[in-house]
């Protein structure tokens, strides 16, 4: 199920931002729930299976994830989207 959710997120994002899958770079973080590490790899597998790079930011707060979108905080990498696993 988590793999399908990763694929669906990419599909939704392609339509939302009007970019191709290859143009997307997705940062994924998770909260402190015990299920987070178990869900992270299938979600990333779903994202990458449709051709978009997905990066594991491990445990990160929602505000920290929002900062990943700003170039001044990650000079070497710009992320087009981010999501936080909370399950």
């Amino acid at each position: 199920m988590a793999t399908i959710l990763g694929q669906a997120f990419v599909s939704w994002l392609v339509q939302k931002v009007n970019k191709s899958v290859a143009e997307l770079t997705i940062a994924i973080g998770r909260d402190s729930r015990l299920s987070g590490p178990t869900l992270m790899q299938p979600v990333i597998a779903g994202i990458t299976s449709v051709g978009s790079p997905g990066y594991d930011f491990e445990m990160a707060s929602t505000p920290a994830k929002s900062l990943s979108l700003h170039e001044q905080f990650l000079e070497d990498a710009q992320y087009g989207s981010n999501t936080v696993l909370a399950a």
Side-chain angles (χ1 to χ4, degrees), residues 1-11 21 26 28 39-54:
M1 181 61 75
T3 301
I4 293 168
L5 288 173
Q7 294 166 336
F9 180 72
V10 173
S11 177
V21 171
I26 302 171
I28 305 107
L39 293 171
M40 183 64 77
Q41 290 310 313
V43 169
I44 291 175
I47 289 169
T48 58
S49 74
V50 293
S52 182

Side-chain angles (χ1 to χ4, degrees):
M1 181 61 75
T3 301
I4 293 168
L5 288 173
Q7 294 166 336
F9 180 72
V10 173
S11 177
W12 172 82
L13 192 60
V14 164
Q15 295 175 19
K16 183 75 173 170
V17 299
N18 199 27
K19 290 186 177 184
S20 72
V21 171
E23 293 176 287
L24 299 176
T25 303
I26 302 171
I28 305 107
R30 61 180 172 82
D31 64 13
S32 61
R33 293 173 222 205
L34 297 177
S35 58
T38 302
L39 293 171
M40 183 64 77
Q41 290 310 313
V43 169
I44 291 175
I47 289 169
T48 58
S49 74
V50 293
S52 182
Y55 294 95
D56 183 350
F57 272 48
E58 297 185 3
M59 193 166 13
S61 67
T62 300
K65 294 295 299 120
S66 294
L67 294 177
S68 72
L69 292 175
H70 298 287
E71 182 178 4
Q72 67 266 29
F73 293 102
L74 291 173
E75 295 177 9
D76 295 332
Q78 288 183 302
Y79 296 91
S81 180
N82 70 54
T83 189
V84 176
L85 293 176

